[in-house]
Amino acid sequence: MSVGPPVGSPAGPAAESSFEVVYAATAPRLVHQLYLVIGDLSEAQDCVQEAYARAWSRWDRITATGGDPVGWVKTTAYRLAISRWRHFAAGLRALRRHGVTRDPQGPNPDTVAVRDALAALPMNQRMALVLYHIADLTVDEIAAQLDVPSGTVKARLSRGRKALAALLADDPDPSSSNTEASYV
């Protein structure tokens, strides 16, 4: 199934044929030349391919003036390579100036424990606790946001704190949580 030339491509079959002939005859040579200049085959292929793609969309204008379409493609490919090299060099200068960024530290064990404990709570308690302790909202602001009475928010906070404390306790046995009484 032929869909025809892309938008902005050469208008007629002769122009398409002309482009195909020029491409087939010169692309491998241009890739080889650019590879020898920049030393990276993949980069050379990318730059030449991009140059030919740009030439394809302007083929009528490039060939109408009687100019050298291969020279246009070659110049464009070299300019693309230089532009990419400049971008790489700027990144290298920034790396030298600022140093290597360190990998961000993962969350500490306490943060993971709190996250896991919050995940074990019912959604309404979790929301109340996060909005109050993390987002620093007041009870009235939370009530307005959740569209519940202030007393409901206070109850959810109380129940959530109690459940969270039990989940985060070092001692899994809740009956031995009163350490003061065990010393008496």
Side-chain angles (χ1 to χ4, degrees):
M1 179 173 101
S2 177
V3 293
V7 175
S9 66
E16 283 184 38
S17 164
S18 163
F19 179 83
E20 290 171 2
V21 168
V22 170
Y23 178 82
T26 60
R29 183 175 39 134
L30 291 179
V31 169
H32 184 71
Q33 290 172 3
L34 193 57
Y35 165 63
L36 292 175
V37 170
I38 64 176
D40 184 344
L41 180 60
S42 175
E43 192 71 23
Q45 290 169 332
D46 287 348
C47 291
V48 170
Q49 190 65 32
E50 175 67 24
Y52 273 109
R54 291 181 183 186
W56 172 251
S57 65
R58 300 171 176 86
W59 195 250
D60 285 338
R61 288 183 297 211
I62 293 170
T63 57
T65 61
D68 179 19
V70 177
W72 188 95
V73 171
K74 184 188 295 186
T75 301
T76 302
Y78 281 102
R79 287 180 180 169
L80 286 166
I82 290 169
S83 176
R84 290 178 181 196
W85 178 81
R86 285 180 180 158
H87 182 73
F88 174 77
L92 190 59
R93 282 192 306 273
L95 178 66
R96 287 183 185 143
R97 187 174 37 246
H98 300 291
V100 177
T101 59
R102 298 187 179 181
D103 289 335
Q105 298 280 333
N108 66 33
D110 292 339
T111 303
V112 172
V114 169
R115 183 205 60 203
D116 292 345
L118 280 169
L121 295 178
M123 179 62 82
N124 58 10
Q125 292 176 9
R126 184 178 341 145
M127 286 177 54
L129 287 169
V130 169
L131 290 174
Y132 187 80
H133 292 286
I134 306 298
D136 291 327
L137 297 180
T138 65
V139 171
D140 293 331
E141 290 170 333
I142 297 170
Q145 189 168 354
L146 299 179
D147 197 27
V148 296
S150 294
T152 302
V153 173
K154 290 176 186 177
R156 288 177 183 176
L157 286 170
S158 176
R159 290 183 191 124
R161 286 181 190 129
K162 185 175 180 179
L164 200 58
L167 290 168
L168 293 174
D170 287 335
D171 185 5
D173 182 18
S175 64
S176 65
S177 63
N178 190 352
T179 55
E180 192 173 289
S182 64
Y183 292 116
V184 177

